[in-house]
Amino acid sequence: MKDFTPASMDRVLARFFQCGTWAACVLTGAGLVIGTKALTAGVALFILLPVLRVVVMLAVFARQRNYVYVTIAATVLAVIAAGCAIGLRLGPLGG
Amino acid sequence: MSFEATLWLFCAGMGASAAGGMLGMASGLFIVPILTMFFHIDMHAAIGTSIVSVIACSCGGAAMRAGLTNVRLALVLETGTTLGALTGVLLAGIVPVAALNFLFAGVLVVSAWQMFSRREEHADMSRPIPWRGLAAALDLHSSYPDSTLRRDIAYEVRRVPAGLTLMYAAGVVSALLGIGSGILKIPAMDNALRLPIKVSTATSNFMIGVTAAASASAYFLRGEIVSAIAGPVALGSVIGASAGARMLMKVRSERLRLLFLSMLLLVACQMFLQGFGIDLLERAGR
């Protein structure tokens, strides 16, 4: 586990996040001009960014063969997926 | 939505996030009161918007601070916060809006108290390092570079189960109120896990995005997030948060701290009144 270099992982995550934020901003900004669909896509991308970050972390840990942390990252993703399933099934509040 | 309303929402997101960024926290504490007070948006829609804004803030403001974030610890604690968020999403449908208002007021008061009593570094680092425990098994102990001493300082993580429990509670509150609840993570980080302040701040900021995403995705699929409101606020938040984080480096005056402290208490009063169904602005307008 000592071959793990936190600095390199930090850099990968930071760059990934910067690009993603720009993309979400551009999409949302365009949505304000051209209409609701792009706007919704922009908001969805904002929500997806942190989830994608966990996916990237999972991939990095998998490459290091650090299976304990692969499991932990997978658990986090599973909880988020469960939240999505609940959201889909329950439908809007008060309706 | 009219152009004017969109513009105002954008400004609200920017202002709230700049204020939050200057204090080193997310915008959530300000967004919900602003939306319910000035825009007369329904509480649940305001919470949905706020949680998206919190994610946007964590994108814009929290650039990863080199070496300070304990990524592994963040991931372990995220299991707690996301589970809490899941519980919060389930509770959101049951808890009445008035109770949410009271809870919000309570969290604001706690935040003001946290800001009033500064955080102190724990001197109690002399106890023998517990090399067994969960923290050792997960290889959580780490070190961070100290800029003044110019060397790496090793630290160890304590009482992970207690920390996880507190994180779960923070996750519930985060999902219920649409806040980042970074301020509620501080006690867990400082008292249970005994982290150095710099590390706990960076790690907590890192976790906010995922916690918020867990509840935001559920609310989004539930159709609770109105993108015509959330879009402009999120866009404003990214800009405001990065501006606020920059100002944090320059401004650090005592007066500013007191100003925000009184602002938090004022908003707390407003949310408390709102819980009783009293709308001050509407009364003044009459």
Side-chain angles (χ1 to χ4, degrees), chain B residues 7 34 37 48-49 56 62 71 80 85-86 101 141 162 181 200 222 248-249 254 260 277 284 286:
Chain B
L7 192 67
I34 290 174
M37 255 171 88
T49 304
V71 175
L86 199 64
N101 277 316
H141 305 305
S181 76
S200 76
R222 232 182 199 184
L248 175 68
M249 316 280 173
E254 195 66 7
F260 277 119
R286 249 176 229 164

Side-chain angles (χ1 to χ4, degrees), chain B residues 59-239:
Chain B
C59 296
M64 300 265 303
R65 252 140 346 121
L68 286 181
T69 311
N70 188 335
V71 175
R72 278 189 248 195
L73 178 62
L75 200 58
V76 170
L77 295 177
E78 273 164 9
T79 57
T81 58
T82 47
L83 264 177
L86 199 64
T87 316
V89 168
L90 285 172
L91 283 176
I94 308 165
V95 179
V97 172
L100 289 180
N101 277 316
F102 290 136
L103 186 61
F104 209 111
V107 169
L108 282 166
V109 172
V110 171
S111 309
W113 172 251
Q114 286 280 0
M115 216 191 281
F116 179 71
S117 62
R118 290 142 179 270
R119 295 159 71 188
E120 276 168 35
E121 201 82 67
H122 281 283
D124 178 36
M125 286 294 185
S126 50
R127 278 189 294 162
I129 304 170
W131 277 116
R132 286 185 190 173
L134 198 56
L138 293 173
D139 199 17
L140 288 176
H141 305 305
S142 182
S143 63
Y144 73 97
D146 190 297
S147 49
T148 47
L149 294 175
R150 299 202 175 165
R151 66 185 171 88
D152 282 8
I153 296 182
Y155 62 88
E156 63 265 8
V157 182
R158 292 165 198 254
R159 295 200 281 169
V160 176
L164 266 175
T165 316
L166 287 170
M167 287 298 159
Y168 175 80
V172 175
V173 175
S174 163
L176 267 182
L177 301 181
I179 60 177
S181 76
I183 216 115
L184 299 178
K185 286 183 187 127
I186 290 171
M189 294 281 203
D190 287 4
N191 298 328
L193 303 167
R194 297 283 163 98
L195 295 176
I197 285 181
K198 278 183 186 170
V199 176
S200 76
T201 308
T203 307
S204 158
N205 285 340
F206 185 80
M207 284 162 46
I208 282 177
V210 176
T211 313
S215 48
S217 51
Y219 287 142
F220 184 80
L221 291 173
R222 232 182 199 184
E224 204 113 306
I225 292 171
V226 186
S227 48
I229 301 171
V233 173
L235 207 54
S237 295
V238 176
I239 298 165

Side-chain angles (χ1 to χ4, degrees), chain B residues 237-271:
Chain B
S237 295
V238 176
I239 298 165
S242 48
R246 243 161 242 149
M247 275 187 270
L248 175 68
M249 316 280 173
K250 289 173 191 158
V251 199
R252 261 223 172 277
S253 73
E254 195 66 7
R255 222 178 256 173
L256 192 77
R257 209 167 68 95
L258 283 176
L259 177 76
F260 277 119
L261 220 153
S262 41
M263 215 158 82
L264 281 177
L265 288 177
L266 210 69
V267 179
C269 290
Q270 159 64 22
M271 292 308 280

